[in-house]
Amino acid sequence: MAIRKISKGWQVDVTDRGQNVRIRRNFSTQKEAKEAEAKIRLELKNAVLPITSIERALEAYLTGEALSLKDYNSVKSKARAILPFIAGKSFDEIGQITDDIKRSMLGNNLKPATINRRLALLKRVTNLAFDWGWLDQPVARRVKLLPGEESRHYYLT
């Protein structure tokens, strides 16, 4: 049910699984709630998802979810490394961006593990953009990590 009675009025809760969007708002009267529900459903039906930049998604991640991470400074460092590749680009170009990152960083003699950590950040941001409803389909599978990471050996003395 999209409209329900709450302690201080009425609540409209509309979910569109196709666009992965959930909108919840409170109103003082049932009439306002019904009108708002109809308006929201019409907007969702006619809505075209906005094309958002990867840079904006990265910024949203860094100012939101990433703040609670223990290695936040490491995440910021990885973000600074990939920022020149994603500046002004949309999620439609994710495959090309991934190839550019790999080519450039391999040319700078970085290890595959270092490149993979940076690509993993890009993949995480892309998955979050889909979860936030910024994308109509998941495109994170286009971010392929490099093979050939060397495993670390720890010897106890």
Side-chain angles (χ1 to χ4, degrees):
M1 178 138 203
I3 299 176
R4 65 180 171 175
K5 178 86 171 124
I6 58 173
S7 62
K8 295 182 180 181
W10 294 85
Q11 184 177 61
V12 175
D13 189 1
V14 179
T15 303
D16 186 344
R17 295 191 189 277
Q19 295 183 9
N20 198 18
V21 174
R22 182 177 186 181
I23 299 171
R24 184 183 286 176
R25 296 192 182 134
N26 296 331
F27 298 92
S28 56
T29 66
Q30 184 178 15
K31 182 180 178 183
E32 289 175 350
K34 284 184 179 182
E35 290 171 358
E37 179 201 14
K39 183 179 177 184
I40 291 169
R41 290 197 184 276
L42 182 64
E43 288 173 358
L44 286 175
K45 182 179 177 186
N46 297 331
V48 176
L49 292 172
I51 296 175
T52 56
S53 69
I54 302 171
E55 192 174 7
R56 182 171 163 233
L58 180 63
E59 179 185 331
Y61 173 66
L62 290 174
T63 58
E65 180 182 309
L67 286 173
S68 63
L69 297 176
K70 192 164 113 176
D71 64 338
Y72 179 69
N73 289 329
S74 174
V75 172
K76 279 179 32 180
S77 173
K78 292 170 188 145
R80 279 191 302 270
I82 64 171
L83 194 58
F85 298 98
I86 64 172
K89 305 246 174 115
S90 70
F91 286 101
D92 296 335
E93 305 171 70
I94 196 77
Q96 182 63 41
I97 293 167
T98 301
D99 292 340
D100 291 345
I101 290 172
K102 288 178 188 176
R103 189 177 311 110
S104 173
M105 292 185 182
L106 283 172
N108 291 338
N109 295 325
L110 292 176
K111 300 254 182 187
T114 303
I115 299 168
N116 282 346
R117 298 306 161 267
R118 294 171 180 180
L119 290 174
L121 174 62
L122 182 63
K123 192 173 205 167
R124 176 68 181 145
V125 169
T126 306
N127 278 327
L128 284 173
F130 177 70
D131 291 345
W132 293 333
W134 294 9
L135 301 172
D136 57 348
Q137 59 183 340
V139 294
R141 64 176 179 251
R142 294 185 197 159
V143 179
K144 303 285 187 206
L145 302 181
L146 291 171
E149 282 192 38
E150 296 175 15
S151 60
R152 293 183 180 181
H153 298 285
Y154 295 100
Y155 297 101
L156 301 177
T157 58

PDB file of all heavy atoms in Angstrom, residues 10-45:
ATOM      1  N   TRP A  10      -0.310  11.466   7.173  1.00  0.00           N
ATOM      2  CA  TRP A  10      -0.329  10.394   6.174  1.00  0.00           C
ATOM      3  C   TRP A  10       1.028  10.305   5.492  1.00  0.00           C
ATOM      4  O   TRP A  10       1.689  11.311   5.286  1.00  0.00           O
ATOM      5  CB  TRP A  10      -1.414  10.678   5.133  1.00  0.00           C
ATOM      6  CG  TRP A  10      -2.780  10.614   5.746  1.00  0.00           C
ATOM      7  CD1 TRP A  10      -3.434  11.609   6.399  1.00  0.00           C
ATOM      8  CD2 TRP A  10      -3.616   9.483   5.791  1.00  0.00           C
ATOM      9  NE1 TRP A  10      -4.643  11.176   6.856  1.00  0.00           N
ATOM     10  CE2 TRP A  10      -4.795   9.863   6.487  1.00  0.00           C
ATOM     11  CE3 TRP A  10      -3.533   8.188   5.311  1.00  0.00           C
ATOM     12  CZ2 TRP A  10      -5.841   8.985   6.708  1.00  0.00           C
ATOM     13  CZ3 TRP A  10      -4.572   7.313   5.522  1.00  0.00           C
ATOM     14  CH2 TRP A  10      -5.713   7.705   6.217  1.00  0.00           C
ATOM     15  N   GLN A  11       1.395   9.077   5.135  1.00  0.00           N
ATOM     16  CA  GLN A  11       2.682   8.856   4.491  1.00  0.00           C
ATOM     17  C   GLN A  11       2.473   8.210   3.124  1.00  0.00           C
ATOM     18  O   GLN A  11       1.722   7.256   2.995  1.00  0.00           O
ATOM     19  CB  GLN A  11       3.560   7.946   5.344  1.00  0.00           C
ATOM     20  CG  GLN A  11       4.947   7.754   4.769  1.00  0.00           C
ATOM     21  CD  GLN A  11       5.803   6.895   5.676  1.00  0.00           C
ATOM     22  OE1 GLN A  11       5.466   5.756   5.932  1.00  0.00           O
ATOM     23  NE2 GLN A  11       6.892   7.473   6.147  1.00  0.00           N
ATOM     24  N   VAL A  12       3.181   8.765   2.131  1.00  0.00           N
ATOM     25  CA  VAL A  12       3.177   8.204   0.782  1.00  0.00           C
ATOM     26  C   VAL A  12       4.509   7.484   0.598  1.00  0.00           C
ATOM     27  O   VAL A  12       5.574   8.042   0.856  1.00  0.00           O
ATOM     28  CB  VAL A  12       3.035   9.318  -0.286  1.00  0.00           C
ATOM     29  CG1 VAL A  12       3.164   8.742  -1.682  1.00  0.00           C
ATOM     30  CG2 VAL A  12       1.718  10.039  -0.126  1.00  0.00           C
ATOM     31  N   ASP A  13       4.437   6.230   0.165  1.00  0.00           N
ATOM     32  CA  ASP A  13       5.641   5.426  -0.046  1.00  0.00           C
ATOM     33  C   ASP A  13       5.510   4.753  -1.414  1.00  0.00           C
ATOM     34  O   ASP A  13       4.772   3.792  -1.565  1.00  0.00           O
ATOM     35  CB  ASP A  13       5.768   4.391   1.065  1.00  0.00           C
ATOM     36  CG  ASP A  13       7.100   3.675   1.042  1.00  0.00           C
ATOM     37  OD1 ASP A  13       7.933   3.996   0.173  1.00  0.00           O
ATOM     38  OD2 ASP A  13       7.317   2.790   1.892  1.00  0.00           O
ATOM     39  N   VAL A  14       6.234   5.295  -2.403  1.00  0.00           N
ATOM     40  CA  VAL A  14       6.155   4.792  -3.772  1.00  0.00           C
ATOM     41  C   VAL A  14       7.495   4.164  -4.144  1.00  0.00           C
ATOM     42  O   VAL A  14       8.543   4.782  -3.978  1.00  0.00           O
ATOM     43  CB  VAL A  14       5.799   5.917  -4.767  1.00  0.00           C
ATOM     44  CG1 VAL A  14       5.755   5.395  -6.183  1.00  0.00           C
ATOM     45  CG2 VAL A  14       4.486   6.573  -4.386  1.00  0.00           C
ATOM     46  N   THR A  15       7.456   2.935  -4.634  1.00  0.00           N
ATOM     47  CA  THR A  15       8.663   2.231  -5.057  1.00  0.00           C
ATOM     48  C   THR A  15       8.509   1.818  -6.510  1.00  0.00           C
ATOM     49  O   THR A  15       7.493   1.249  -6.896  1.00  0.00           O
ATOM     50  CB  THR A  15       8.890   0.979  -4.188  1.00  0.00           C
ATOM     51  OG1 THR A  15       8.955   1.378  -2.832  1.00  0.00           O
ATOM     52  CG2 THR A  15      10.171   0.279  -4.585  1.00  0.00           C
ATOM     53  N   ASP A  16       9.514   2.124  -7.304  1.00  0.00           N
ATOM     54  CA  ASP A  16       9.550   1.696  -8.699  1.00  0.00           C
ATOM     55  C   ASP A  16      10.783   0.811  -8.871  1.00  0.00           C
ATOM     56  O   ASP A  16      11.908   1.295  -8.907  1.00  0.00           O
ATOM     57  CB  ASP A  16       9.629   2.902  -9.634  1.00  0.00           C
ATOM     58  CG  ASP A  16       9.525   2.501 -11.103  1.00  0.00           C
ATOM     59  OD1 ASP A  16       9.695   1.307 -11.416  1.00  0.00           O
ATOM     60  OD2 ASP A  16       9.265   3.392 -11.932  1.00  0.00           O
ATOM     61  N   ARG A  17      10.565  -0.493  -8.919  1.00  0.00           N
ATOM     62  CA  ARG A  17      11.688  -1.428  -9.004  1.00  0.00           C
ATOM     63  C   ARG A  17      12.401  -1.354 -10.351  1.00  0.00           C
ATOM     64  O   ARG A  17      13.583  -1.621 -10.434  1.00  0.00           O
ATOM     65  CB  ARG A  17      11.219  -2.845  -8.725  1.00  0.00           C
ATOM     66  CG  ARG A  17      10.716  -3.024  -7.322  1.00  0.00           C
ATOM     67  CD  ARG A  17      10.499  -4.486  -6.997  1.00  0.00           C
ATOM     68  NE  ARG A  17       9.827  -4.650  -5.732  1.00  0.00           N
ATOM     69  CZ  ARG A  17      10.433  -4.626  -4.567  1.00  0.00           C
ATOM     70  NH1 ARG A  17      11.707  -4.418  -4.505  1.00  0.00           N
ATOM     71  NH2 ARG A  17       9.745  -4.797  -3.460  1.00  0.00           N
ATOM     72  N   GLY A  18      11.709  -0.983 -11.381  1.00  0.00           N
ATOM     73  CA  GLY A  18      12.325  -0.867 -12.698  1.00  0.00           C
ATOM     74  C   GLY A  18      13.410   0.196 -12.727  1.00  0.00           C
ATOM     75  O   GLY A  18      14.454   0.024 -13.346  1.00  0.00           O
ATOM     76  N   GLN A  19      13.149   1.317 -12.063  1.00  0.00           N
ATOM     77  CA  GLN A  19      14.127   2.406 -12.012  1.00  0.00           C
ATOM     78  C   GLN A  19      14.928   2.385 -10.716  1.00  0.00           C
ATOM     79  O   GLN A  19      15.784   3.220 -10.502  1.00  0.00           O
ATOM     80  CB  GLN A  19      13.431   3.756 -12.165  1.00  0.00           C
ATOM     81  CG  GLN A  19      12.791   3.954 -13.502  1.00  0.00           C
ATOM     82  CD  GLN A  19      12.187   5.344 -13.630  1.00  0.00           C
ATOM     83  OE1 GLN A  19      12.379   6.206 -12.797  1.00  0.00           O
ATOM     84  NE2 GLN A  19      11.444   5.567 -14.700  1.00  0.00           N
ATOM     85  N   ASN A  20      14.605   1.425  -9.840  1.00  0.00           N
ATOM     86  CA  ASN A  20      15.284   1.289  -8.559  1.00  0.00           C
ATOM     87  C   ASN A  20      15.199   2.594  -7.760  1.00  0.00           C
ATOM     88  O   ASN A  20      16.189   3.138  -7.303  1.00  0.00           O
ATOM     89  CB  ASN A  20      16.736   0.871  -8.757  1.00  0.00           C
ATOM     90  CG  ASN A  20      17.328   0.309  -7.490  1.00  0.00           C
ATOM     91  OD1 ASN A  20      16.603  -0.077  -6.582  1.00  0.00           O
ATOM     92  ND2 ASN A  20      18.640   0.273  -7.423  1.00  0.00           N
ATOM     93  N   VAL A  21      13.966   3.089  -7.612  1.00  0.00           N
ATOM     94  CA  VAL A  21      13.714   4.351  -6.931  1.00  0.00           C
ATOM     95  C   VAL A  21      12.656   4.135  -5.853  1.00  0.00           C
ATOM     96  O   VAL A  21      11.668   3.436  -6.077  1.00  0.00           O
ATOM     97  CB  VAL A  21      13.214   5.428  -7.928  1.00  0.00           C
ATOM     98  CG1 VAL A  21      12.821   6.702  -7.225  1.00  0.00           C
ATOM     99  CG2 VAL A  21      14.259   5.698  -8.973  1.00  0.00           C
ATOM    100  N   ARG A  22      12.885   4.735  -4.687  1.00  0.00           N
ATOM    101  CA  ARG A  22      11.886   4.721  -3.618  1.00  0.00           C
ATOM    102  C   ARG A  22      11.721   6.145  -3.109  1.00  0.00           C
ATOM    103  O   ARG A  22      12.699   6.788  -2.734  1.00  0.00           O
ATOM    104  CB  ARG A  22      12.315   3.813  -2.479  1.00  0.00           C
ATOM    105  CG  ARG A  22      11.291   3.742  -1.378  1.00  0.00           C
ATOM    106  CD  ARG A  22      11.722   2.791  -0.304  1.00  0.00           C
ATOM    107  NE  ARG A  22      10.662   2.634   0.671  1.00  0.00           N
ATOM    108  CZ  ARG A  22      10.758   1.878   1.741  1.00  0.00           C
ATOM    109  NH1 ARG A  22      11.857   1.201   1.966  1.00  0.00           N
ATOM    110  NH2 ARG A  22       9.748   1.790   2.569  1.00  0.00           N
ATOM    111  N   ILE A  23      10.468   6.605  -3.084  1.00  0.00           N
ATOM    112  CA  ILE A  23      10.171   7.965  -2.629  1.00  0.00           C
ATOM    113  C   ILE A  23       9.185   7.865  -1.472  1.00  0.00           C
ATOM    114  O   ILE A  23       8.134   7.225  -1.597  1.00  0.00           O
ATOM    115  CB  ILE A  23       9.586   8.820  -3.771  1.00  0.00           C
ATOM    116  CG1 ILE A  23      10.601   8.920  -4.904  1.00  0.00           C
ATOM    117  CG2 ILE A  23       9.180  10.190  -3.264  1.00  0.00           C
ATOM    118  CD1 ILE A  23      10.066   9.553  -6.159  1.00  0.00           C
ATOM    119  N   ARG A  24       9.535   8.509  -0.348  1.00  0.00           N
ATOM    120  CA  ARG A  24       8.680   8.489   0.832  1.00  0.00           C
ATOM    121  C   ARG A  24       8.520   9.922   1.323  1.00  0.00           C
ATOM    122  O   ARG A  24       9.507  10.604   1.570  1.00  0.00           O
ATOM    123  CB  ARG A  24       9.309   7.630   1.912  1.00  0.00           C
ATOM    124  CG  ARG A  24       8.432   7.480   3.134  1.00  0.00           C
ATOM    125  CD  ARG A  24       9.111   6.681   4.194  1.00  0.00           C
ATOM    126  NE  ARG A  24       9.113   5.280   3.818  1.00  0.00           N
ATOM    127  CZ  ARG A  24       9.710   4.325   4.517  1.00  0.00           C
ATOM    128  NH1 ARG A  24      10.365   4.624   5.609  1.00  0.00           N
ATOM    129  NH2 ARG A  24       9.661   3.084   4.118  1.00  0.00           N
ATOM    130  N   ARG A  25       7.254  10.354   1.461  1.00  0.00           N
ATOM    131  CA  ARG A  25       6.978  11.717   1.924  1.00  0.00           C
ATOM    132  C   ARG A  25       5.787  11.700   2.881  1.00  0.00           C
ATOM    133  O   ARG A  25       4.893  10.858   2.756  1.00  0.00           O
ATOM    134  CB  ARG A  25       6.674  12.631   0.744  1.00  0.00           C
ATOM    135  CG  ARG A  25       7.854  12.794  -0.191  1.00  0.00           C
ATOM    136  CD  ARG A  25       7.653  13.907  -1.168  1.00  0.00           C
ATOM    137  NE  ARG A  25       8.813  13.967  -2.057  1.00  0.00           N
ATOM    138  CZ  ARG A  25       8.723  14.082  -3.364  1.00  0.00           C
ATOM    139  NH1 ARG A  25       7.560  14.187  -3.952  1.00  0.00           N
ATOM    140  NH2 ARG A  25       9.824  14.119  -4.094  1.00  0.00           N
ATOM    141  N   ASN A  26       5.761  12.671   3.769  1.00  0.00           N
ATOM    142  CA  ASN A  26       4.671  12.783   4.750  1.00  0.00           C
ATOM    143  C   ASN A  26       3.792  13.986   4.436  1.00  0.00           C
ATOM    144  O   ASN A  26       4.287  15.033   3.999  1.00  0.00           O
ATOM    145  CB  ASN A  26       5.243  12.933   6.161  1.00  0.00           C
ATOM    146  CG  ASN A  26       6.010  11.704   6.581  1.00  0.00           C
ATOM    147  OD1 ASN A  26       5.715  10.604   6.135  1.00  0.00           O
ATOM    148  ND2 ASN A  26       6.986  11.888   7.433  1.00  0.00           N
ATOM    149  N   PHE A  27       2.461  13.822   4.699  1.00  0.00           N
ATOM    150  CA  PHE A  27       1.487  14.880   4.462  1.00  0.00           C
ATOM    151  C   PHE A  27       0.518  14.934   5.629  1.00  0.00           C
ATOM    152  O   PHE A  27       0.342  13.965   6.356  1.00  0.00           O
ATOM    153  CB  PHE A  27       0.719  14.623   3.152  1.00  0.00           C
ATOM    154  CG  PHE A  27       1.606  14.625   1.937  1.00  0.00           C
ATOM    155  CD1 PHE A  27       2.152  13.444   1.472  1.00  0.00           C
ATOM    156  CD2 PHE A  27       1.920  15.800   1.286  1.00  0.00           C
ATOM    157  CE1 PHE A  27       2.987  13.436   0.366  1.00  0.00           C
ATOM    158  CE2 PHE A  27       2.746  15.807   0.181  1.00  0.00           C
ATOM    159  CZ  PHE A  27       3.280  14.623  -0.281  1.00  0.00           C
ATOM    160  N   SER A  28      -0.142  16.095   5.766  1.00  0.00           N
ATOM    161  CA  SER A  28      -1.046  16.261   6.904  1.00  0.00           C
ATOM    162  C   SER A  28      -2.437  15.672   6.647  1.00  0.00           C
ATOM    163  O   SER A  28      -3.092  15.229   7.577  1.00  0.00           O
ATOM    164  CB  SER A  28      -1.152  17.735   7.286  1.00  0.00           C
ATOM    165  OG  SER A  28      -1.565  18.493   6.167  1.00  0.00           O
ATOM    166  N   THR A  29      -2.885  15.658   5.379  1.00  0.00           N
ATOM    167  CA  THR A  29      -4.216  15.119   5.092  1.00  0.00           C
ATOM    168  C   THR A  29      -4.123  13.969   4.093  1.00  0.00           C
ATOM    169  O   THR A  29      -3.168  13.856   3.323  1.00  0.00           O
ATOM    170  CB  THR A  29      -5.140  16.201   4.504  1.00  0.00           C
ATOM    171  OG1 THR A  29      -4.637  16.597   3.226  1.00  0.00           O
ATOM    172  CG2 THR A  29      -5.242  17.407   5.424  1.00  0.00           C
ATOM    173  N   GLN A  30      -5.146  13.147   4.123  1.00  0.00           N
ATOM    174  CA  GLN A  30      -5.196  12.006   3.204  1.00  0.00           C
ATOM    175  C   GLN A  30      -5.353  12.485   1.756  1.00  0.00           C
ATOM    176  O   GLN A  30      -4.787  11.907   0.842  1.00  0.00           O
ATOM    177  CB  GLN A  30      -6.347  11.073   3.577  1.00  0.00           C
ATOM    178  CG  GLN A  30      -6.400   9.810   2.730  1.00  0.00           C
ATOM    179  CD  GLN A  30      -7.516   8.869   3.132  1.00  0.00           C
ATOM    180  OE1 GLN A  30      -8.432   9.240   3.854  1.00  0.00           O
ATOM    181  NE2 GLN A  30      -7.444   7.644   2.651  1.00  0.00           N
ATOM    182  N   LYS A  31      -6.100  13.568   1.561  1.00  0.00           N
ATOM    183  CA  LYS A  31      -6.301  14.115   0.220  1.00  0.00           C
ATOM    184  C   LYS A  31      -4.965  14.553  -0.388  1.00  0.00           C
ATOM    185  O   LYS A  31      -4.675  14.239  -1.550  1.00  0.00           O
ATOM    186  CB  LYS A  31      -7.274  15.290   0.271  1.00  0.00           C
ATOM    187  CG  LYS A  31      -7.582  15.892  -1.077  1.00  0.00           C
ATOM    188  CD  LYS A  31      -8.553  17.049  -0.960  1.00  0.00           C
ATOM    189  CE  LYS A  31      -8.798  17.660  -2.327  1.00  0.00           C
ATOM    190  NZ  LYS A  31      -9.671  18.835  -2.261  1.00  0.00           N
ATOM    191  N   GLU A  32      -4.156  15.282   0.396  1.00  0.00           N
ATOM    192  CA  GLU A  32      -2.835  15.700  -0.090  1.00  0.00           C
ATOM    193  C   GLU A  32      -1.967  14.493  -0.442  1.00  0.00           C
ATOM    194  O   GLU A  32      -1.249  14.495  -1.437  1.00  0.00           O
ATOM    195  CB  GLU A  32      -2.107  16.530   0.985  1.00  0.00           C
ATOM    196  CG  GLU A  32      -2.670  17.895   1.220  1.00  0.00           C
ATOM    197  CD  GLU A  32      -1.963  18.595   2.380  1.00  0.00           C
ATOM    198  OE1 GLU A  32      -1.184  17.946   3.106  1.00  0.00           O
ATOM    199  OE2 GLU A  32      -2.206  19.801   2.554  1.00  0.00           O
ATOM    200  N   ALA A  33      -2.036  13.470   0.389  1.00  0.00           N
ATOM    201  CA  ALA A  33      -1.237  12.269   0.165  1.00  0.00           C
ATOM    202  C   ALA A  33      -1.635  11.576  -1.136  1.00  0.00           C
ATOM    203  O   ALA A  33      -0.772  11.142  -1.902  1.00  0.00           O
ATOM    204  CB  ALA A  33      -1.382  11.315   1.349  1.00  0.00           C
ATOM    205  N   LYS A  34      -2.949  11.475  -1.393  1.00  0.00           N
ATOM    206  CA  LYS A  34      -3.416  10.832  -2.629  1.00  0.00           C
ATOM    207  C   LYS A  34      -2.991  11.620  -3.861  1.00  0.00           C
ATOM    208  O   LYS A  34      -2.569  11.048  -4.866  1.00  0.00           O
ATOM    209  CB  LYS A  34      -4.943  10.667  -2.600  1.00  0.00           C
ATOM    210  CG  LYS A  34      -5.397   9.548  -1.706  1.00  0.00           C
ATOM    211  CD  LYS A  34      -6.898   9.359  -1.787  1.00  0.00           C
ATOM    212  CE  LYS A  34      -7.335   8.201  -0.896  1.00  0.00           C
ATOM    213  NZ  LYS A  34      -8.772   7.951  -0.973  1.00  0.00           N
ATOM    214  N   GLU A  35      -3.101  12.941  -3.791  1.00  0.00           N
ATOM    215  CA  GLU A  35      -2.684  13.783  -4.915  1.00  0.00           C
ATOM    216  C   GLU A  35      -1.180  13.659  -5.164  1.00  0.00           C
ATOM    217  O   GLU A  35      -0.730  13.565  -6.310  1.00  0.00           O
ATOM    218  CB  GLU A  35      -3.057  15.244  -4.650  1.00  0.00           C
ATOM    219  CG  GLU A  35      -4.541  15.518  -4.687  1.00  0.00           C
ATOM    220  CD  GLU A  35      -4.896  16.917  -4.217  1.00  0.00           C
ATOM    221  OE1 GLU A  35      -3.987  17.681  -3.815  1.00  0.00           O
ATOM    222  OE2 GLU A  35      -6.089  17.255  -4.241  1.00  0.00           O
ATOM    223  N   ALA A  36      -0.416  13.642  -4.086  1.00  0.00           N
ATOM    224  CA  ALA A  36       1.038  13.528  -4.209  1.00  0.00           C
ATOM    225  C   ALA A  36       1.432  12.173  -4.786  1.00  0.00           C
ATOM    226  O   ALA A  36       2.338  12.080  -5.613  1.00  0.00           O
ATOM    227  CB  ALA A  36       1.698  13.735  -2.859  1.00  0.00           C
ATOM    228  N   GLU A  37       0.743  11.121  -4.347  1.00  0.00           N
ATOM    229  CA  GLU A  37       1.045   9.787  -4.880  1.00  0.00           C
ATOM    230  C   GLU A  37       0.815   9.733  -6.386  1.00  0.00           C
ATOM    231  O   GLU A  37       1.642   9.218  -7.145  1.00  0.00           O
ATOM    232  CB  GLU A  37       0.209   8.719  -4.187  1.00  0.00           C
ATOM    233  CG  GLU A  37       0.505   7.330  -4.744  1.00  0.00           C
ATOM    234  CD  GLU A  37      -0.594   6.332  -4.474  1.00  0.00           C
ATOM    235  OE1 GLU A  37      -1.713   6.724  -4.098  1.00  0.00           O
ATOM    236  OE2 GLU A  37      -0.317   5.141  -4.667  1.00  0.00           O
ATOM    237  N   ALA A  38      -0.307  10.279  -6.832  1.00  0.00           N
ATOM    238  CA  ALA A  38      -0.611  10.286  -8.256  1.00  0.00           C
ATOM    239  C   ALA A  38       0.443  11.077  -9.031  1.00  0.00           C
ATOM    240  O   ALA A  38       0.898  10.644 -10.108  1.00  0.00           O
ATOM    241  CB  ALA A  38      -1.994  10.878  -8.490  1.00  0.00           C
ATOM    242  N   LYS A  39       0.839  12.215  -8.486  1.00  0.00           N
ATOM    243  CA  LYS A  39       1.855  13.046  -9.141  1.00  0.00           C
ATOM    244  C   LYS A  39       3.206  12.322  -9.212  1.00  0.00           C
ATOM    245  O   LYS A  39       3.869  12.325 -10.252  1.00  0.00           O
ATOM    246  CB  LYS A  39       1.997  14.367  -8.388  1.00  0.00           C
ATOM    247  CG  LYS A  39       2.964  15.331  -9.018  1.00  0.00           C
ATOM    248  CD  LYS A  39       3.030  16.628  -8.245  1.00  0.00           C
ATOM    249  CE  LYS A  39       4.061  17.554  -8.851  1.00  0.00           C
ATOM    250  NZ  LYS A  39       4.230  18.778  -8.073  1.00  0.00           N
ATOM    251  N   ILE A  40       3.602  11.680  -8.110  1.00  0.00           N
ATOM    252  CA  ILE A  40       4.879  10.955  -8.079  1.00  0.00           C
ATOM    253  C   ILE A  40       4.875   9.812  -9.076  1.00  0.00           C
ATOM    254  O   ILE A  40       5.839   9.605  -9.821  1.00  0.00           O
ATOM    255  CB  ILE A  40       5.172  10.438  -6.653  1.00  0.00           C
ATOM    256  CG1 ILE A  40       5.478  11.603  -5.723  1.00  0.00           C
ATOM    257  CG2 ILE A  40       6.323   9.438  -6.664  1.00  0.00           C
ATOM    258  CD1 ILE A  40       5.509  11.224  -4.246  1.00  0.00           C
ATOM    259  N   ARG A  41       3.787   9.055  -9.108  1.00  0.00           N
ATOM    260  CA  ARG A  41       3.704   7.929 -10.058  1.00  0.00           C
ATOM    261  C   ARG A  41       3.759   8.408 -11.510  1.00  0.00           C
ATOM    262  O   ARG A  41       4.395   7.784 -12.350  1.00  0.00           O
ATOM    263  CB  ARG A  41       2.441   7.115  -9.811  1.00  0.00           C
ATOM    264  CG  ARG A  41       2.485   6.329  -8.524  1.00  0.00           C
ATOM    265  CD  ARG A  41       1.438   5.236  -8.490  1.00  0.00           C
ATOM    266  NE  ARG A  41       1.436   4.556  -7.223  1.00  0.00           N
ATOM    267  CZ  ARG A  41       2.252   3.559  -6.891  1.00  0.00           C
ATOM    268  NH1 ARG A  41       3.143   3.140  -7.752  1.00  0.00           N
ATOM    269  NH2 ARG A  41       2.176   2.988  -5.705  1.00  0.00           N
ATOM    270  N   LEU A  42       3.108   9.532 -11.800  1.00  0.00           N
ATOM    271  CA  LEU A  42       3.149  10.094 -13.145  1.00  0.00           C
ATOM    272  C   LEU A  42       4.565  10.536 -13.506  1.00  0.00           C
ATOM    273  O   LEU A  42       5.051  10.269 -14.601  1.00  0.00           O
ATOM    274  CB  LEU A  42       2.177  11.266 -13.263  1.00  0.00           C
ATOM    275  CG  LEU A  42       2.069  11.919 -14.637  1.00  0.00           C
ATOM    276  CD1 LEU A  42       1.500  10.912 -15.650  1.00  0.00           C
ATOM    277  CD2 LEU A  42       1.190  13.141 -14.580  1.00  0.00           C
ATOM    278  N   GLU A  43       5.248  11.191 -12.571  1.00  0.00           N
ATOM    279  CA  GLU A  43       6.623  11.631 -12.816  1.00  0.00           C
ATOM    280  C   GLU A  43       7.548  10.446 -13.046  1.00  0.00           C
ATOM    281  O   GLU A  43       8.415  10.480 -13.922  1.00  0.00           O
ATOM    282  CB  GLU A  43       7.137  12.470 -11.641  1.00  0.00           C
ATOM    283  CG  GLU A  43       6.516  13.842 -11.566  1.00  0.00           C
ATOM    284  CD  GLU A  43       6.913  14.596 -10.312  1.00  0.00           C
ATOM    285  OE1 GLU A  43       7.647  14.026  -9.467  1.00  0.00           O
ATOM    286  OE2 GLU A  43       6.479  15.749 -10.159  1.00  0.00           O
ATOM    287  N   LEU A  44       7.377   9.385 -12.261  1.00  0.00           N
ATOM    288  CA  LEU A  44       8.214   8.195 -12.445  1.00  0.00           C
ATOM    289  C   LEU A  44       7.934   7.509 -13.778  1.00  0.00           C
ATOM    290  O   LEU A  44       8.844   6.992 -14.420  1.00  0.00           O
ATOM    291  CB  LEU A  44       7.999   7.206 -11.297  1.00  0.00           C
ATOM    292  CG  LEU A  44       8.632   7.576  -9.964  1.00  0.00           C
ATOM    293  CD1 LEU A  44       8.234   6.574  -8.890  1.00  0.00           C
ATOM    294  CD2 LEU A  44      10.139   7.636 -10.090  1.00  0.00           C
ATOM    295  N   LYS A  45       6.678   7.529 -14.181  1.00  0.00           N
ATOM    296  CA  LYS A  45       6.317   6.896 -15.458  1.00  0.00           C
ATOM    297  C   LYS A  45       6.944   7.640 -16.634  1.00  0.00           C
ATOM    298  O   LYS A  45       7.422   7.030 -17.588  1.00  0.00           O
ATOM    299  CB  LYS A  45       4.796   6.877 -15.609  1.00  0.00           C
ATOM    300  CG  LYS A  45       4.316   6.202 -16.862  1.00  0.00           C
ATOM    301  CD  LYS A  45       2.801   6.208 -16.935  1.00  0.00           C
ATOM    302  CE  LYS A  45       2.329   5.588 -18.225  1.00  0.00           C
ATOM    303  NZ  LYS A  45       0.888   5.709 -18.391  1.00  0.00           N
TER     304      LYS A  45
END
